[in-house]
Amino acid sequence: MLGMPSRQLFASRDLQETCSQISRVMKPHALQVVGPRQRLDARMHHLAFGDVSLSRLSHGAEVRIEPGELSDFFLVMMPLHGHAQVRCGTEAVDSTPDVASVISAHLGTTMHWSADCDQLMVRIARPFLERMLTAQLGREPDAPLQFTLGFRWRDHAAWHCLVRYLVDWADQPVQPTDHKIIVGQLEQLVASSLLCSQPHNFSAAPSARRSVVLPRHVKRVQEYLQAHAHESIRAETLADVAGVSLRSLYAGFQDFCGVSPMQYLRNIRLERVRAELLAGTVTGGVASVALRWGFGHLGRFSAEYKAHFGESPSQTLRKN
């Protein structure tokens, strides 16, 4: 998992270099080897998907890590081997291959990794995750987002499947920067999957009562989506285009279109795929067209296409 040489960020037996290299993609922290007979043999693989990144890290020795508050990001750590004792705020968990830890950005954190601890980690930028929370709540949160620390991640199909998909991406000889639309969707999928899978202090909060958005604001965003459907688009960008808050943007689309802005965008992209298939100028088959329009999972794309148009993409293509 995430072991390709091209994804390796570093390999080192030096404590200072190891700490410095990890800090490049995480944050400055204190790192201490525990025990006189322990010898560091660290290595880290890393792949960034915009505001989300996937890493695999092992130290090869028993270590104590003191990052303090992560501040700028949330971190999900899933041991593949070994275990880690993690304390975040007032909570503590013995993290194993069955129990991940979800580090909340604003809480002080310390960790103690066993010598054989090898962790897969998903890093999510704090501003992005908080914007996704705002969109789900329909209002600005009135407190910092805080997750329950222990996370039985293998019991949650949505998160488990998502991690496998991210790892599959990492095992391919492609660069995420070459697929900006897909990366934008992956960012949102990771954030929403974590918010839905792991309990947090807003899990039981009801959505705020939605206000009405004038049709011209919705129309402005509709026109923007039509013109920029081939680009990576985020919800906050659409709120800027509309000149309203995220809450009002989502409420307006639900009131006037019956779907969210991002689902409206997916529908546009489905229409663009269908237009290309019907035009009879496709080279590379259905997969190449779907990928170009941001549909990275062909199975889900085919199901969504058939639900939308009443026929499969290949049936549409055969019409020519």
Side-chain angles (χ1 to χ4, degrees):
M1 297 176 72
L2 197 63
M4 290 179 63
S6 61
R7 306 298 188 204
Q8 183 167 296
L9 183 67
F10 78 94
S12 177
R13 296 177 182 272
D14 182 80
L15 181 65
Q16 185 175 357
E17 181 185 13
T18 296
C19 195
S20 176
Q21 291 285 358
I22 296 173
S23 297
R24 287 172 52 195
V25 295
M26 295 297 175
K27 66 161 291 185
H29 59 283
L31 177 63
Q32 176 187 3
V33 176
V34 179
R37 297 185 179 181
Q38 296 290 320
R39 294 293 182 269
L40 202 68
D41 185 14
R43 63 192 63 247
M44 185 175 192
H45 292 73
H46 178 75
L47 181 62
F49 299 89
D51 280 328
V52 171
S53 68
L54 184 69
S55 301
R56 183 176 179 178
L57 173 63
S58 61
H59 292 88
E62 187 178 351
V63 295
R64 179 175 176 83
I65 309 168
E66 298 182 3
E69 294 182 12
L70 301 185
S71 300
D72 296 332
F73 61 94
F74 291 79
L75 188 65
V76 184
M77 303 192 301
M78 297 161 283
L80 303 176
H81 306 286
H83 64 94
Q85 296 172 343
V86 181
R87 176 171 291 278
C88 181
T90 59
E91 289 188 274
V93 67
D94 188 13
S95 185
T96 67
D98 291 322
V99 182
S101 56
V102 183
I103 310 300
S104 297
H106 69 291
L107 298 177
T109 300
T110 59
M111 315 175 201
H112 191 139
W113 292 26
S114 64
D116 60 343
C117 189
D118 183 5
Q119 299 223 47
L120 191 66
M121 303 183 293
V122 177
R123 180 193 193 278
I124 310 173
R126 181 178 183 175
F128 177 69
L129 188 57
E130 289 177 342
R131 288 195 296 268
M132 290 297 295
L133 174 64
T134 297
Q136 286 193 7
L137 293 175
R139 59 181 173 85
E140 293 287 339
D142 53 6
L145 173 60
Q146 181 173 332
F147 288 94
T148 300
L149 180 59
F151 181 20
R152 301 193 68 86
W153 67 283
R154 298 178 190 272
D155 295 341
H156 295 271
W159 182 260
H160 194 181
C161 291
L162 172 62
V163 170
R164 292 175 63 89
Y165 183 55
L166 292 176
V167 170
D168 285 343
W169 254 89
D171 284 341
Q172 303 302 316
V174 296
Q175 292 299 324
T177 52
D178 296 333
H179 304 280
K180 293 182 180 180
I181 294 177
I182 295 176
V183 167
Q185 294 175 344
L186 279 175
E187 291 173 324
Q188 296 178 45
L189 184 59
V190 169
S192 59
S193 295
L194 181 60
L195 288 169
C196 292
S197 298
Q198 179 66 349
H200 52 82
N201 55 330
F202 292 98
S203 293
S207 297
R209 183 177 179 179
R210 294 180 171 179
S211 59
V212 176
V213 181
L214 293 176
R216 66 174 178 272
H217 296 148
V218 175
K219 182 176 178 59
R220 188 179 302 151
V221 173
Q222 288 176 332
E223 292 173 347
Y224 181 87
L225 292 175
Q226 290 287 348
H228 298 271
H230 60 290
E231 302 173 5
S232 178
I233 299 175
R234 295 181 176 181
E236 60 268 19
T237 301
L238 299 181
D240 290 340
V241 170
V244 298
S245 66
L246 273 173
R247 180 193 65 180
S248 296
L249 173 64
Y250 272 72
F253 262 79
Q254 192 63 49
D255 290 341
F256 293 100
C257 305
V259 295
S260 71
M262 304 316 294
Q263 184 58 53
Y264 189 89
L265 174 60
R266 289 181 69 82
N267 292 343
I268 291 175
R269 289 173 175 164
L270 286 171
E271 295 285 353
R272 301 290 172 85
V273 171
R274 182 174 175 81
E276 287 196 31
L277 296 179
L278 289 172
T281 58
V282 174
T283 58
V286 170
S288 65
V289 181
L291 188 61
R292 185 163 61 252
W293 285 104
F295 297 98
H297 192 292
L298 293 181
R300 285 198 290 268
F301 159 72
S302 295
E304 191 172 359
Y305 185 99
K306 187 169 185 178
H308 197 78
F309 298 111
E311 62 184 18
S312 68
S314 57
Q315 289 174 319
T316 302
L317 186 60
R318 284 198 295 269
K319 289 183 177 182
N320 292 291

